[in-house]
Amino acid sequence: MRNVLRANLWRLVKSRAFHLALAAMLAYTALIVLVCWDHYATGTGSYTLESVLTAGFGLMGYLTIPSLIMAPLLALYLGTEYGEHTLRNKLTVGHTRTEIYLADLATCILAAVGLDLLSLLLAGALCVYPVMGMSGVLLRASPGQVLAWIATALLARAAWAAVMKLLTASMSSPSAAAVAALLLVVLASLLCSYGFRQMEYLVHRMAAGTAVENGEARLAFWQFLLDLLPTGQSLQVSRLDTPNLWRLPLLSLGVAAASTGAGLVLFHKKDLK
């Protein structure tokens, strides 16, 4: 499996799709840094470094831009294996379908998490000075809390990559898989946005003493949905509002395991001719 993974990574970094995704991620990081420096220059901000480090996971809590960037990359990278007969070549030299699927999954996870880490490091390094100038302190939260937020968001990204691998395993057309991946990210983001609004509405009504039918149950449902979806986890981290931080990694592991299991079953049944 190690040889397959090494070949996958080499093919990935040479692909045009990866170069475009890298450029898009750097442009997105530059936007975050420019906003930070603009707030410092105009005196309109007073946030600390944890806000900068987590903002990129969900565009200030509204849209998971990195997922949108990675969706076509992963779909096109995986989809071209069918068109270029790469999968049949791997099977011919003796690799099993399980090895091939897990190597592809590991490649997807390393690509998604690696671009996130690159964005984090660049944004953090370039925003230390303006953050100190705005607030006078680097962090308001403890370093352990910040690391927990970042680790949770990265694990959610890994779970999302597992879902993307399952999606592409069920489709043979790279373009169709890319479109489906983008639609999935957009729909998940819209659902999460609606869930946030519903929770704010329910909390406001219940705090005001207004009777809300099944208010507690509805609130618990939307919170669980936001905790379960990798997109919801990323948005919660970007908002620095994670009431159930302890269970988010467990749910991400569950999503990744379920997606991988289903993907392996589909891949073993798939006709690669």
Side-chain angles (χ1 to χ4, degrees):
M1 178 177 166
R2 185 181 303 173
N3 291 335
V4 181
L5 178 59
R6 187 183 300 113
N8 283 355
L9 291 173
W10 178 246
R11 189 165 66 87
L12 175 70
V13 298
K14 291 195 304 179
S15 68
R16 181 175 299 178
F18 177 77
H19 298 158
L20 292 174
L22 177 60
M25 200 67 177
L26 290 175
Y28 179 55
T29 304
L31 174 64
I32 294 172
V33 172
L34 287 174
V35 169
C36 180
W37 276 89
D38 180 68
H39 285 172
Y40 166 67
T42 58
T44 56
S46 61
Y47 46 83
T48 47
L49 193 60
E50 64 266 28
S51 297
V52 175
L53 294 175
T54 58
F57 288 113
L59 191 61
M60 320 305 179
Y62 295 102
L63 185 64
T64 54
I65 296 296
S67 295
L68 285 173
I69 293 173
M70 290 300 298
L73 165 63
L74 299 184
L76 292 173
Y77 162 74
L78 295 170
T80 53
E81 290 200 325
Y82 295 95
E84 298 175 359
H85 308 297
T86 306
L87 290 177
R88 281 192 292 174
N89 294 337
K90 290 178 180 177
L91 291 171
T92 301
V93 298
H95 297 294
T96 66
R97 292 199 180 204
T98 299
E99 287 177 335
I100 294 171
Y101 188 95
L102 293 179
D104 283 348
L105 174 60
T107 304
C108 292
I109 291 174
L110 289 173
V113 173
L115 288 180
D116 271 339
L117 284 173
L118 176 63
S119 178
L120 279 171
L121 292 173
L122 289 175
L126 295 173
C127 290
V128 168
Y129 181 81
V131 161
M132 289 296 293
M134 283 188 286
S135 59
V137 294
L138 196 59
L139 294 170
R140 288 198 179 97
S142 66
Q145 177 69 71
V146 176
L147 288 175
W149 276 325
I150 292 174
T152 296
L154 293 177
L155 188 56
R157 187 76 73 221
W160 172 83
V163 174
M164 291 295 102
K165 174 56 185 170
L166 169 61
L167 178 65
T168 54
S170 63
M171 307 177 74
S172 297
S173 170
S175 57
V179 171
L182 286 171
L183 287 176
L184 183 62
V185 173
V186 172
L187 290 175
S189 296
L190 291 175
L191 179 61
C192 290
S193 179
Y194 181 75
F196 282 123
R197 290 199 300 271
Q198 284 294 304
M199 290 183 63
E200 291 170 0
Y201 167 78
L202 291 170
V203 169
H204 177 74
R205 292 291 298 273
M206 293 166 66
T210 305
V212 179
E213 185 177 0
N214 298 322
E216 292 290 345
R218 290 164 62 188
L219 194 62
F221 166 78
W222 284 112
Q223 184 62 64
F224 178 76
L225 186 65
L226 290 170
D227 291 347
L228 178 64
L229 294 174
T231 303
Q233 292 192 25
S234 297
L235 292 175
Q236 287 184 78
V237 170
S238 69
R239 292 168 172 241
L240 300 178
D241 183 13
T242 51
N244 301 312
L245 182 61
W246 62 272
R247 78 177 181 182
L248 300 186
L250 299 177
L251 290 172
S252 288
L253 291 174
V255 169
S259 300
T260 301
L264 282 170
V265 172
L266 285 174
F267 190 61
H268 276 277
K269 295 180 178 179
K270 195 175 186 68
D271 183 6
L272 301 180
K273 293 182 181 180

